[in-house]
Amino acid sequence: MELRSRVPDGPIEQKWDKHRFDLKLVNPANKRKYEIIVVGSGLAGAAAAATLGELGYKVKCFTYHDSPRRAHSIAAQGGINAAKNYQNDGDSIYRLFYDTVKGGDFRAREANVYRLAQVSLNIIDQCVAQGVPFAREYGGLLANRSFGGAQVSRTFYARGQTGQQLLLGAYSALERQIAAGTVTMYPRSEMLDVIVVDGHARGIVVRDMVTGKISSHMANAVALGTGGYSNVFFLSTNAKACNVTATWRAYRRGAAFANPCFTQIHPTCIPQAGDYQSKLTLMSESLRNDGRIWVPQQPGDTRAAKDIPDAERDYYLERIYPSFGNLSPRDVSSRRAKEMVDNGQGVGVEKNGVYLDFQDAIQRLGQHVIAERYGNLFDMYQQITGENPYQVPMRIYPAPHYTMGGLWVDYNLMSTLPGLFVIGEANFSDHGANRLGASALMQGLADGYFVLPYTIGEYLTSNKAGSVAADVPEAKAAEAQAAETTQRLLGVNGKRTVDVFHRELGRVMWNECGMARNATGLKRALAEIPRIREEFWTDVRVPGSGLELNQELEKAGRVADFLEFAELMCLDALGRDESCGGHFREEHQTPDGEAKRDDEQFAHVAAWAYQGPNATPALHKEPLAFEYVHLATRSYK
Amino acid sequence: MRLTLHVWRQASGSPSGRFERYDMPDADEHMSFLEMLDVLNNRLIEQGKDPIAFEHDCREGICGSCGMVINGRPHGPVQRVTACQLHMRSFKDGDDIWLEPWRARAFPVLKDLVVDRSAFDRIIQAGGYISIRTGAAPDANAVPIPKRDADSAMDAAACIGCGACVAACPNGSAMLFTAAKISHLGLLPQGQPERFSRVLDMVGTMDEEGFGSCTNHGSCEAACPKGISLDFIARLNRDLIRATLGKGMEVEAPAGGAG
């Protein structure tokens, strides 16, 4: 397998413009002859489907939700970055590029990141024109807030519901195209496989989640915008249905999986409350603008927060990172919180959290200002915990939140399987080993609105593959395989439910491949995972039949894929014998506990290629060059 | 706490259903309502029974997937809270809990507590958007928008499309849902060119989809987990009257538009 990144030549500022000019155009009259499948209807998928439909392509868009508006992008709270420099505080495309490469701990591809920073400007324009009600100042202009890992205010937001408003914007653009007949929407449809004909992705196999019917859909190209895999940990901030199935099955058909061990643990989530807990709830990072994070200085201190005098509190982020303080990047903040809790300084009944305290901000600004900024988050916190955060500090702890790894893509966002494009969180491309806050929404919309619609044309014109009938042998074989897997899941008829296995896998992954990793633990996980998988296939119980709405069956298929994927994740984490960003190998740290990169050996993308059911995957490396942002130790002190 | 659940069970593809009784002897007050159902479902599976189908996804009150009528109230007893954000501390030992799907002509039941809400998508398709081509937008700060208008638009745009308003309405009307979208876009300068065609098309589709009429009953606002105000329905009605009388286009959109 050859990893050709197809990054254009020339100065970084000119690469994208030059590339857009060099890309072949598709004659408007020919566009309607090309069919494109988009899987997923989140920010990336909905934006891509809408834009491709608008350009005249025949688009089919698939989602497992009942409506495209339910995609998990909707839950993003804090905001979206753009280098508008509306605050006149020194921001620029170059600074956003610089912050993102540095924030990613030098494991992202420079050219992609620069392009992302460039199109960030167009995204905000586009969203405002669509009617996204961003926060505004009294003069009527757009407001900004700051976010972790940056010293400028470049984050645009709509209260604590930015993801919702951006997704509803993309959703409305998509619905407009559906009404115009350029996009056909397939809700409640789960992708189960990619159909490969003559080495190119030519379609997908889909299960209708209401009738259970399995069928094939063919196209000239396929784009996956199917999100990330944080639910491999069972407990994460992701929605319950988020899964790795689409990308994993594409991997098994020939798309390389890049940097699967790069996962982001978000520092501000509500700590776990009991064994029955089904998911973790994020409290937006934007809270760190006004909240101060602290723990009691004395381990085992059981006093209530208000009874601990200031002198006996450790505002540890402000202490260790005076320049960034409470706005230190996510990986750094998460790790320090873990350190405090591990050291016995945790707070709450279970001693499994740290305080995020708003008393100073409330005194300085008044409760009404805090309520206006974060009201819905405070309400949500109170609803979940039963505590009033205006009166007592919030308790927070890190939780799996986002995955930087994903299917490998070139500069055109095409995977190593020709004709298969990957957009948004599902690809690996822009965030390196750690994503900065408010950058996921930016990347999803950049890929969907402004990158894929250009680059896919190049593939379509240079591969004049005609349309393929849905009854080609490759499609029939993939359908039969999907049906067989369904039958196998239903036929085990064991004793334990799908959730039991998922929780067990999650426990192993959180303990051995979570916030801190080491070789011994990863080897332990690599022995445990196949055991759980084997037990799953001999003892899982999936009730009902395949020909009805069967939520347990849907879940079982996804967990079966997580049970395979988890192994690749640990293999990658073991192989990357350095610390970088969210990947913290305990063997590699500085004396004061910071991540220690090994640029000599690991300044590369690790892309894994499937070699068959029981074979070790093959590792391919894409070297990373840093010509503009020079390799340096990240410091937020 | 010990609870008795009475849950509406309706098989996939079946036109009718009935209540079934389940004992829940050990619910914890810190569980969310859906976690309580998870525990029950895992037990049902272990006993070889069919688990209760219900929709849910984000479990943070924003995706709008979840929704069921709990003791006669959409999303249950706590105001401004979705079923997924409801916690068991809102119930007490010995309670009987009745669970039903949204009941409305436009929302056919698919299975148990799961209904088909695709009629909402078709209302949006009729005009719940601003016709802007990707890449055609002017600079985001080119048109200042008074903060008050932007805030009101955001109040309306906060709708999560869960359908509680329809379930709560004795007429099964989708007025609050439709009014929220019409107000969100109609309050912004970008939404003006299509303002009056939008209200005609969306209300027309709402009627075609089998939703009932609005009689200003107000239960929609009371049931809405996001507190979308009834005032938006008044706003929709004003726009609808102007659009129907044909004056809207001349008064509000002199530069033309999709009228």
Side-chain angles (χ1 to χ4, degrees):
Chain A
M1 181 182 289
E2 196 192 356
L3 298 174
R4 278 189 56 211
S5 67
R6 292 193 172 80
V7 172
D9 299 332
I12 201 156
E13 301 82 5
Q14 292 165 23
K15 282 181 196 285
W16 178 231
D17 285 348
K18 179 175 176 297
H19 191 63
R20 276 196 301 175
F21 180 76
D22 291 341
L23 289 170
K24 288 184 202 136
L25 295 176
V26 182
N27 174 331
N30 284 339
K31 281 188 179 134
R32 63 176 168 271
K33 294 180 192 157
Y34 289 114
E35 288 191 77
I36 300 171
I37 283 174
V38 178
V39 187
S41 65
L43 286 181
T51 305
L52 290 165
E54 196 176 84
L55 286 169
Y57 294 109
K58 269 170 80 176
V59 181
K60 288 179 172 182
C61 182
F62 295 81
T63 173
Y64 55 64
H65 289 104
D66 68 321
S67 162
R69 67 180 290 156
R70 313 267 185 236
H72 187 54
S73 307
I74 201 131
Q77 298 170 355
I80 177 167
N81 287 330
K84 283 286 196 185
N85 194 29
Y86 284 158
Q87 302 303 321
N88 193 31
D89 56 0
D91 201 10
S92 63
I93 290 171
Y94 202 91
R95 188 175 296 281
L96 175 53
F97 157 69
Y98 175 91
D99 286 349
T100 308
V101 171
K102 177 187 166 199
D105 215 359
F106 302 91
R107 291 296 175 261
R109 199 187 279 149
E110 274 192 334
N112 285 53
V113 178
Y114 195 88
R115 173 176 68 187
L116 177 67
Q118 281 177 301
V119 302
S120 71
L121 310 181
N122 306 82
I123 294 170
I124 300 303
D125 299 343
Q126 185 68 26
C127 294
V128 167
Q130 283 172 342
V132 170
F134 283 122
R136 286 176 185 271
E137 298 163 353
Y138 283 99
L141 300 181
L142 291 160
N144 291 113
R145 54 166 66 137
S146 26
F147 244 69
Q151 286 174 313
V152 293
S153 274
R154 63 159 75 98
T155 304
F156 295 78
Y157 63 100
R159 295 190 189 148
Q161 293 126 279
T162 316
Q164 180 200 25
Q165 294 309 315
L166 296 176
L167 182 63
L168 292 180
Y171 160 76
S172 69
L174 175 61
E175 293 295 333
R176 175 170 163 250
Q177 292 307 314
I178 295 169
T182 61
V183 179
T184 309
M185 191 71 216
Y186 295 83
R188 295 192 192 274
S189 302
E190 182 153 30
M191 179 194 134
L192 296 181
D193 210 347
V194 180
I195 300 165
V196 181
V197 181
D198 296 332
H200 289 245
R202 278 283 173 268
I204 59 170
V205 175
V206 169
R207 179 171 180 273
D208 179 319
M209 293 155 76
V210 178
T211 65
K213 189 172 179 289
I214 291 174
S215 61
S216 299
H217 292 265
M218 310 308 287
N220 298 92
V222 176
L224 301 183
T226 53
Y229 48 83
S230 293
N231 276 346
V232 72
F233 294 105
F234 185 74
L235 285 179
S236 83
T237 66
N238 279 190
K240 291 294 287 176
C242 293
N243 65 78
V244 77
T245 290
T247 45
W248 184 249
R249 299 201 183 174
Y251 161 80
R252 293 206 310 205
R253 293 286 178 189
F257 213 112
N259 300 335
C261 79
F262 286 171
T263 53
Q264 178 164 78
I265 313 294
H266 194 291
T268 51
C269 304
I270 301 177
Q272 189 177 347
D275 294 335
Y276 44 77
Q277 184 118 9
S278 60
K279 75 156 285 182
L280 297 168
T281 303
L282 176 81
M283 289 282 106
S284 169
E285 175 172 334
S286 61
L287 292 166
R288 292 199 275 147
N289 269 304
D290 288 307
R292 297 179 69 195
I293 293 173
W294 64 275
V295 290
Q297 275 180 355
Q298 215 43 44
D301 195 332
T302 51
R303 288 176 292 177
K306 65 174 171 42
D307 299 331
I308 303 177
D310 223 39
E312 292 173 44
R313 300 176 175 188
D314 184 3
Y315 293 91
Y316 57 90
L317 286 179
E318 296 172 22
R319 171 173 58 81
I320 308 172
Y321 307 102
S323 357
F324 281 72
N326 293 300
L327 285 176
S328 295
R330 291 179 174 177
D331 52 344
V332 173
S333 311
S334 291
R335 219 153 42 229
R336 293 296 182 185
K338 178 182 191 303
E339 223 173 84
M340 298 298 147
V341 169
D342 289 351
N343 195 36
Q345 289 166 274
V347 301
V349 181
E350 316 244 353
K351 301 257 165 241
N352 61 352
V354 299
Y355 284 130
L356 177 61
D357 196 336
F358 293 88
Q359 275 323 300
D360 290 354
I362 289 172
Q363 272 170 22
R364 192 175 70 243
L365 304 162
Q367 185 165 323
H368 65 285
V369 175
I370 296 301
E372 182 175 318
R373 286 185 190 165
Y374 314 110
N376 64 324
L377 299 172
F378 276 50
D379 293 347
M380 184 153 83
Y381 182 85
Q382 181 158 14
Q383 184 56 36
I384 292 173
T385 61
E387 297 169 3
N388 179 352
Y390 292 106
Q391 284 161 11
V392 296
M394 285 185 179
R395 288 173 296 110
I396 54 160
Y397 195 63
H401 175 58
Y402 184 90
T403 52
M404 283 75 68
L407 292 181
W408 185 91
V409 288
D410 63 15
Y411 191 70
N412 288 334
L413 303 181
M414 189 165 82
S415 69
T416 56
L417 175 60
L420 183 79
F421 292 78
V422 192
I423 52 181
E425 188 180 351
N427 74 25
F428 88 103
S429 74
D430 297 354
H431 307 295
N434 174 55
R435 178 177 65 75
L436 291 181
S439 283
L441 303 184
M442 171 172 71
Q443 186 223 335
L445 289 180
D447 289 359
Y449 282 131
F450 297 108
V451 181
L452 181 75
Y454 286 101
T455 57
I456 205 168
E458 169 83 6
Y459 170 77
L460 294 171
T461 45
S462 13
N463 295 274
K464 301 211 181 302
S467 52
V468 181
D471 59 357
V472 293
E474 290 87 345
K476 289 289 138 199
E479 269 179 46
Q481 206 179 329
E484 196 227 299
T485 308
T486 303
Q487 283 315 312
R488 254 182 85 202
L489 288 167
L490 289 162
V492 178
N493 203 17
K495 289 194 185 60
R496 282 180 277 174
T497 63
V498 176
D499 282 353
V500 171
F501 291 99
H502 197 176
R503 275 182 198 278
E504 194 178 350
L505 174 69
R507 185 186 49 78
V508 171
M509 294 304 284
W510 180 243
N511 289 340
E512 315 291 11
C513 198
M515 246 187 299
R517 302 149 177 191
N518 61 55
T520 319
L522 288 166
K523 283 177 190 155
R524 217 165 25 228
L526 283 167
E528 283 271 288
I529 297 161
R531 179 190 62 77
I532 303 172
R533 189 166 63 224
E534 205 183 302
E535 284 179 22
F536 174 87
W537 283 107
T538 50
D539 198 29
V540 73
R541 174 174 287 185
V542 184
S545 89
L547 294 174
E548 60 173 335
L549 195 160
N550 187 339
Q551 294 174 321
E552 281 297 307
L553 176 63
E554 295 159 17
K555 224 158 52 173
R558 295 166 192 164
V559 172
D561 287 337
F562 275 131
L563 283 165
E564 293 181 9
F565 169 75
E567 214 176 328
L568 184 69
M569 202 170 138
C570 292
L571 198 64
D572 187 45
L574 185 62
R576 191 169 280 278
D577 198 12
E578 65 159 350
S579 293
C580 59
H583 172 66
F584 190 74
R585 281 286 298 266
E586 287 167 342
E587 303 94 322
H588 303 284
Q589 50 183 314
T590 62
D592 50 356
E594 303 292 349
K596 206 162 135 195
R597 286 197 326 262
D598 179 350
D599 295 326
E600 285 284 302
Q601 290 194 69
F602 291 102
H604 63 246
V605 178
W608 298 88
Y610 187 65
Q611 302 293 307
N614 292 311
T616 309
L619 174 61
H620 300 271
K621 296 174 186 175
E622 179 198 337
L624 293 169
F626 294 89
E627 295 171 39
Y628 293 86
V629 186
H630 296 297
L631 283 166
T633 304
R634 269 163 97 211
S635 170
Y636 293 94
K637 292 184 172 169
Chain B
M1 63 179 90
R2 173 175 283 277
L3 302 166
T4 308
L5 302 181
H6 308 268
V7 184
W8 184 260
R9 302 305 306 264
Q10 184 166 339
S12 199
S14 160
S16 59
R18 64 199 163 88
F19 282 103
E20 294 227 10
R21 196 190 131 119
Y22 302 95
D23 283 322
M24 186 70 203
D26 52 355
D28 186 301
E29 61 166 349
H30 294 297
M31 281 178 175
S32 76
F33 194 81
L34 300 190
E35 282 164 357
M36 186 272 295
L37 289 180
D38 290 342
V39 171
L40 174 62
N41 270 345
N42 273 285
R43 285 179 194 163
L44 290 177
I45 297 165
E46 281 161 7
Q47 294 161 11
K49 294 179 185 154
D50 198 29
I52 301 156
F54 63 91
E55 286 204 277
H56 63 94
D57 198 23
C58 75
R59 299 200 176 194
E60 291 183 10
I62 192 75
C63 74
S65 296
C66 71
M68 56 188 84
V69 177
I70 303 170
N71 288 343
R73 299 180 63 171
H75 291 300
V78 183
Q79 280 222 318
R80 295 209 178 188
V81 161
T82 54
C84 67
Q85 294 284 80
L86 183 64
H87 276 63
M88 297 314 291
R89 67 180 83 90
S90 303
F91 298 88
K92 57 182 194 305
D93 190 45
D95 273 359
D96 276 53
I97 300 177
W98 294 78
L99 292 180
E100 300 169 74
W102 289 167
R103 297 202 190 273
R105 190 153 57 109
F107 290 164
V109 174
L110 294 176
K111 184 180 181 181
D112 299 341
L113 306 176
V114 179
V115 299
D116 177 358
R117 286 169 290 193
S118 55
F120 271 7
D121 290 329
R122 291 187 289 275
I123 292 175
I124 299 296
Q125 280 161 32
Y129 48 76
I130 289 168
S131 299
I132 170 78
R133 222 177 11 262
T134 302
D139 184 82
N141 258 348
V143 183
I145 302 177
K147 186 173 184 323
R148 201 179 54 184
D149 292 349
D151 285 348
S152 302
M154 181 62 211
D155 289 341
C159 168
I160 58 172
C162 64
C165 48
V166 178
C169 177
N171 309 332
S173 171
M175 250 333 222
L176 193 63
F177 169 80
T178 309
K181 188 47 65 185
I182 281 169
S183 303
H184 156 213
L185 299 176
L187 279 158
L188 298 170
Q190 291 84 355
Q192 297 311 309
E194 297 164 294
R195 177 169 164 191
F196 294 100
S197 61
R198 177 181 304 122
V199 68
L200 288 172
D201 293 343
M202 288 180 73
V203 171
T205 303
M206 184 179 85
D207 292 343
E208 282 164 24
E209 290 290 338
F211 292 101
S213 302
C214 174
T215 48
N216 291 322
H217 204 272
S219 12
C220 52
E221 184 189 86
C224 176
K226 297 294 143 179
I228 306 288
S229 164
L230 217 50
D231 294 350
F232 294 127
I233 295 185
R235 206 188 142 82
L236 178 152
N237 281 325
R238 285 198 298 275
D239 276 9
L240 186 61
I241 289 167
R242 290 170 74 183
T244 310
L245 295 177
K247 287 182 182 165
M249 286 167 280
E250 297 142 42
V251 177
E252 287 290 332

